[in-house]
Amino acid sequence: MSKILVTGGCGYIGSHAIVDLVQHGYEVVSADSLIRSSIKQLDGVTEILGCPIKNYLVDLCDKEATRRIFEAEKDITGVIHFAALKSVGESVFEPTLYYTNNLTSLVNVLECCAEFGVKQFIFSSSCSVYGNTTELPVTENTPLQKTESPYAHTKQIGEGIIEHFAKRYTDIRFILLRYFNPAGAHPSGLIGESPLVEATNLVPVVIETALGKRPQLSVFGTDYATRDGSCIRDYIHIMDLAAAHTKSLDYLIVEKNETNCEVFNVGIGQGVTVLEAINAFEKISNLKLNVFKTDRRLGDIEAIYADYSLAKKHLGWTPQYSIEDIMQTAWKRANR
Ligand code: NAD
Ligand code: WQD
């Protein structure tokens, strides 16, 4: 059984990935400082899996503490590095925090992989590395544009750091997964997205509005050149995203990779407008939301969605869930 270190395992994506990994035969340990999550998320994981998951309460910016995890666990075969701060708006106001946290933790974990002989490494990248692109759908070869925020810049730099590590450590196999817009919850409703800071992403905001925690749902811009005037995004169900990590590990472990550093888009390849997403929620919940059409949000791009054919071809990954499934599972989670 391969032992995988999941950094950020108490977070939104990491916790769902742990569920899929363990259900596919991987042994998992987590390392999370809980700076942006609660250990309760692992209670939900335990309830789904019927077995506990160990978390090392470690700030991965602390190199010695990070090394001790690898020493204690000895035979880690792969690392999935989710741990990072991810709020675009916060990063604009706290650039030092974002560059320090996201890049120091990455370098520390990479150095430990080299020192302790870890052969598989998967990195959480983001479609935000494409910046304000006009090429649609975006492929992995779409040129990266100047980023809109320090957060997105940490992902571009992080990718660059890994590319250079891959040249230096040719026996380690790396995958960079560029996620589009992850949303939704585990179908059981036992885990989901539980932001500790104020939610700004569309689906959590929809849910909070439906729960009455917000008086209204602001739609940022209805004058874009799209089919209904609102922005287009590629919303990917969290369990589809989780599966992409398991498939990536499977692929690396049997050495199907063509180079030792490969990039894959992880989106469902379909653009959904903000108004269509809201309609999908209203359909599955039988509720009418108090929607307020307002000005464009600074930094938003008009439209982005993925070409995921490379992930399909190489990883054998195909998304299974729709925007309705995203809304249905997020709503189920909210009502538990
Ligand atoms: P999250 O905030 O829910 O989880 C991240 C976890 O990392 C948290 O539990 C946090 O406590 C932990 N963490 C952060 N810095 C740490 C450090 N220095 N040491 C130890 N633990 C630390 O975020 P998420 O949505 O699960 O995102 C996971 C990864 O995916 C991140 O790298 C994020 O940038 C990336 N990503 C997320 C999205 C998205 O919309 N959710 C989209 C694209 C990429
Ligand atoms: C989606 C659409 C908003 C809230 C962000 C990061 C990106 C990646 C994914 C990490 C946009 C509209 C939203 C609201 C709205 N994360 N909206 N009212 O901005 O596409 O991407 O998360 O890597 O880097 O930037 O996601 O969910 O915030 O917005 O109208 O209250 O919903 O304008 O068009 P975004 P989002």
Side-chain angles (χ1 to χ4, degrees):
M1 197 192 271
S2 295
K3 188 191 285 180
I4 308 302
L5 174 66
V6 170
T7 74
C10 302
Y12 174 44
I13 306 175
S15 57
H16 290 79
I18 291 175
V19 169
D20 197 71
L21 288 165
V22 172
Q23 287 177 338
H24 286 85
Y26 288 99
E27 185 186 346
V28 173
V29 288
S30 163
D32 196 309
S33 64
L34 304 181
I35 185 175
R36 286 298 152 83
S37 56
S38 160
I39 197 70
K40 283 191 196 139
Q41 189 79 349
L42 283 191
D43 295 342
V45 171
T46 299
E47 206 173 331
I48 295 167
L49 293 174
C51 64
I53 300 293
K54 186 198 284 182
N55 181 62
Y56 285 89
L57 190 62
V58 162
D59 179 352
L60 298 162
C61 295
D62 179 340
K63 176 75 190 290
E64 271 317 301
T66 305
R67 276 192 85 255
R68 284 197 289 274
I69 303 171
F70 287 78
E71 264 170 2
E73 292 298 331
K74 288 187 180 67
D75 49 352
I76 293 169
T77 54
V79 169
I80 308 183
H81 185 56
F82 292 104
L85 299 175
K86 64 161 181 181
S87 167
V88 173
E90 182 186 50
S91 77
V92 175
F93 290 98
E94 301 277 3
T96 309
L97 174 67
Y98 272 69
Y99 286 112
T100 306
N101 187 73
N102 291 2
L103 300 178
T104 307
S105 58
L106 171 63
V107 170
N108 284 346
V109 174
L110 285 170
E111 284 184 339
C112 287
C113 288
E115 181 182 345
F116 290 89
V118 175
K119 294 287 178 261
Q120 279 71 229
F121 188 95
I122 297 170
F123 177 63
S124 297
S125 190
S126 163
C127 66
S128 58
V129 298
Y130 293 111
N132 200 350
T133 184
T134 48
E135 202 176 294
L136 290 174
V138 288
T139 73
E140 292 78 358
N141 291 325
T142 299
L144 307 188
Q145 308 285 334
K146 200 169 161 49
T147 52
E148 299 281 331
S149 68
Y151 165 73
H153 196 206
T154 68
K155 292 297 174 190
Q156 275 191 357
I157 298 171
E159 288 196 0
I161 290 172
I162 291 169
E163 280 158 17
H164 286 291
F165 263 77
K167 286 186 191 139
R168 166 65 181 82
Y169 300 102
T170 50
D171 56 338
I172 308 180
R173 298 177 282 280
F174 298 88
I175 283 184
L176 316 179
L177 293 179
R178 292 181 181 155
Y179 313 155
F180 280 64
N181 286 56
H186 188 269
S188 65
L190 289 167
I191 54 171
E193 192 168 10
S194 321
L196 288 188
V197 291
E198 195 197 357
T200 54
N201 290 123
L202 181 64
V203 175
V205 170
V206 164
I207 298 297
E208 287 182 6
T209 311
L211 290 172
K213 291 184 178 170
R214 289 171 187 254
Q216 65 189 27
L217 167 59
S218 299
V219 174
F220 299 133
T222 48
D223 58 349
Y224 289 99
T226 60
R227 48 188 177 266
D228 61 21
S230 64
C231 289
I232 289 179
R233 295 290 182 273
D234 184 331
Y235 298 95
I236 172 171
H237 192 279
I238 189 68
M239 294 316 297
D240 277 333
L241 181 55
H245 295 82
T246 309
K247 295 264 186 198
S248 296
L249 271 178
D250 295 347
Y251 170 85
L252 290 180
I253 286 171
V254 298
E255 300 186 31
K256 276 172 133 181
N257 54 302
E258 287 170 4
T259 69
N260 78 322
C261 185
E262 295 181 333
V263 184
F264 297 103
N265 281 341
V266 196
I268 73 166
Q270 280 166 33
V272 170
T273 70
V274 175
L275 294 173
E276 287 166 352
I278 294 168
N279 283 341
F281 176 79
E282 292 184 335
K283 197 171 107 192
I284 63 95
S285 65
N286 266 324
L287 293 173
K288 194 89 193 121
L289 297 180
N290 184 18
V291 171
F292 175 68
K293 294 177 179 173
T294 182
D295 297 341
R296 293 179 175 200
R297 185 172 68 176
L298 207 65
D300 268 344
I301 59 170
E302 183 169 280
I304 188 162
Y305 51 94
D307 177 334
Y308 73 89
S309 47
L310 210 60
K312 184 176 180 183
K313 183 174 162 207
H314 291 265
L315 307 178
W317 174 82
T318 314
Q320 310 289 329
Y321 294 92
S322 65
I323 186 70
E324 284 78 15
D325 299 323
I326 285 175
M327 295 299 184
Q328 194 268 326
T329 52
W331 191 226
K332 181 172 177 179
R333 165 73 183 151
N335 286 290
R336 272 191 71 88

